[in-house]
């Protein structure tokens, strides 16, 4: 069954790698891309220009972004009764213990530090994708 994945990433190169990795791992899934947390919240709440956006089954979230960073996005999303059940995978360059702790405190389901190698990046995305869509039971469009 096809799943919807939302990627919130401000770095075009890394967004492309995530998109390609997800598309390769499970081509039946639909990957939606936005460039910061504010757009992510607009997507989730069907605000312009995302009035017809589907509810994502999984979100990949960067932490270090302009406008609305990943921590602020998590804070707002996870306090929304209609959105908090959507799993969020933080995938970021920051390995800071402060960022890791804060992300989990705000409701992240997983925290991954992005590898420098594109090959490792693809491998991690494939494992995460297979785990979340192959083994985990996700809530249906609550």
């Amino acid at each position: 069954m096809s799943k919807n994945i939302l990627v919130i990433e401000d770095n075009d190169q890394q967004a492309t790698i995530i998109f390609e990795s997800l598309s390769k791992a499970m081509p039946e899934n639909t990957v939606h891309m936005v460039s910061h947390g504010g757009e992510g919240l607009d997507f989730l709440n069907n605000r312009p220009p995302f009035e017809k956006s589907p509810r994502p089954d999984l979100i990949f979230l960067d932490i270090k972004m302009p406008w609305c960073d990943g921590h602020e996005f998590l804070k707002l999303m996870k306090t929304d009764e209609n959105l908090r059940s959507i799993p969020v995978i933080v995938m970021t360059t920051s390995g800071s213990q402060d960022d890791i702790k804060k992300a989990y405190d705000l409701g992240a389901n997983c925290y991954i530090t992005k590898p420098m190698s594109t090959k490792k990046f693809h491998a991690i995305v494939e494992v995460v994708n297979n785990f979340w869509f192959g083994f985990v039971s996700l809530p249906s469009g609550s």
Side-chain angles (χ1 to χ4, degrees):
M1 177 185 237
S2 179
K3 303 290 185 183
N4 285 294
I5 301 168
L6 176 60
V7 177
I8 305 172
E9 171 64 65
D10 67 319
N11 180 299
D12 289 340
Q13 182 180 12
Q14 291 178 357
T16 299
I17 293 169
I18 293 171
F19 179 84
E20 289 172 354
S21 298
L22 289 168
S23 297
K24 180 181 174 189
M26 291 187 88
E28 68 274 11
N29 290 344
T30 303
V31 181
H32 307 272
M33 310 287 292
V34 297
S35 61
H36 58 77
E39 281 186 344
L41 292 168
D42 289 344
F43 185 96
L44 292 174
N45 290 294
N46 300 111
R47 294 189 294 244
F50 306 104
E51 295 91 346
K52 296 186 181 186
S53 61
R55 179 183 173 88
D57 298 290
L58 183 67
I59 297 172
F60 280 83
L61 175 68
D62 189 16
I63 289 291
K64 305 293 184 185
M65 296 180 290
W67 302 91
C68 175
D69 73 8
H71 289 126
E72 185 65 19
F73 172 85
L74 277 168
K75 179 180 175 183
L76 295 169
M77 184 212 155
K78 291 296 187 174
T79 56
D80 185 320
E81 180 179 318
N82 297 314
L83 302 174
R84 69 173 146 228
S85 65
I86 302 170
V88 178
I89 307 304
V90 173
M91 191 171 225
T92 186
T93 55
S94 174
S96 157
Q97 283 299 309
D98 290 340
D99 283 342
I100 294 168
K101 181 176 182 336
K102 187 172 183 180
Y104 280 116
D105 287 346
L106 292 169
N109 298 88
C110 179
Y111 192 104
I112 299 169
T113 304
K114 292 177 189 168
M116 294 315 221
S117 152
T118 302
K119 186 176 179 179
K120 285 183 183 176
F121 202 104
H122 285 298
I124 287 171
V125 169
E126 186 171 345
V127 168
V128 169
N129 190 51
N130 290 337
F131 174 75
W132 282 98
F133 297 130
F135 299 103
V136 174
S137 296
L138 296 172
S140 60
S142 353

